[in-house]
Amino acid sequence: MNSPEALTMSIQLMTAAEGYSVQGRGPSIAADLVALASVAIGARALARAKGRTATGTGSGRTGAVVAMAVGLIGMILAGVALAIADGGPGTGNGVVGSAFALVLGLFGMVLGVWARGRARTRSRRVPADGLPG
């Protein structure tokens, strides 16, 4: 049976939940996740370019390019989310999350560029004896 205390608690919870909406934060959350993926891909590509991973024989070039592309997509999503947001920071429309996604996307792109440079350097190394192959 429903006690008066439980009913009062559910009314309080429903009242508190009325003001909370993920709808305004949706594009910001999507941009955050995409930008975070670019950071993860870029970090893995950088580790592979430095030769720190034992799996696979790749140099990390593909991962570097993917990290740059995904970072750019995350930054575009964040820019769109900022453009459609009503209000400023603290209004619950995802403005702060979108700004954070811009920073994460840029960081993912920088990791991708860095990994690509390391992969290019690693692929041009010459053996100690100077003979190719």
Side-chain angles (χ1 to χ4, degrees):
M1 307 276 173
N2 287 342
S3 68
E5 294 86 23
L7 187 59
T8 305
M9 181 62 88
S10 72
I11 291 172
Q12 288 175 348
L13 287 174
M14 287 182 359
T15 305
E18 278 181 14
Y20 182 78
S21 170
V22 178
Q23 208 169 23
R25 293 184 185 106
S28 172
I29 293 170
D32 283 333
L33 292 175
V34 171
L36 187 62
S38 76
V39 171
I41 294 167
R44 181 158 170 86
L46 185 60
R48 178 167 266 192
K50 287 184 175 182
R52 293 188 178 165
T53 59
T55 59
T57 59
S59 64
R61 276 190 222 163
T62 304
V65 172
V66 170
M68 289 186 289
V70 173
L72 180 63
I73 291 168
M75 289 178 69
I76 290 170
L77 287 174
V80 169
L82 275 172
I84 63 173
D86 304 351
T91 58
N93 292 318
V95 174
V96 175
S98 297
F100 184 64
L102 281 172
V103 173
L104 275 178
L106 181 63
F107 187 62
M109 288 181 67
V110 167
L111 282 175
V113 169
W114 195 11
R116 186 159 182 201
R118 295 287 273 174
R120 191 177 307 146
T121 304
R122 182 175 170 210
S123 65
R124 291 187 197 167
R125 288 189 184 155
V126 178
D129 60 2
L131 300 174

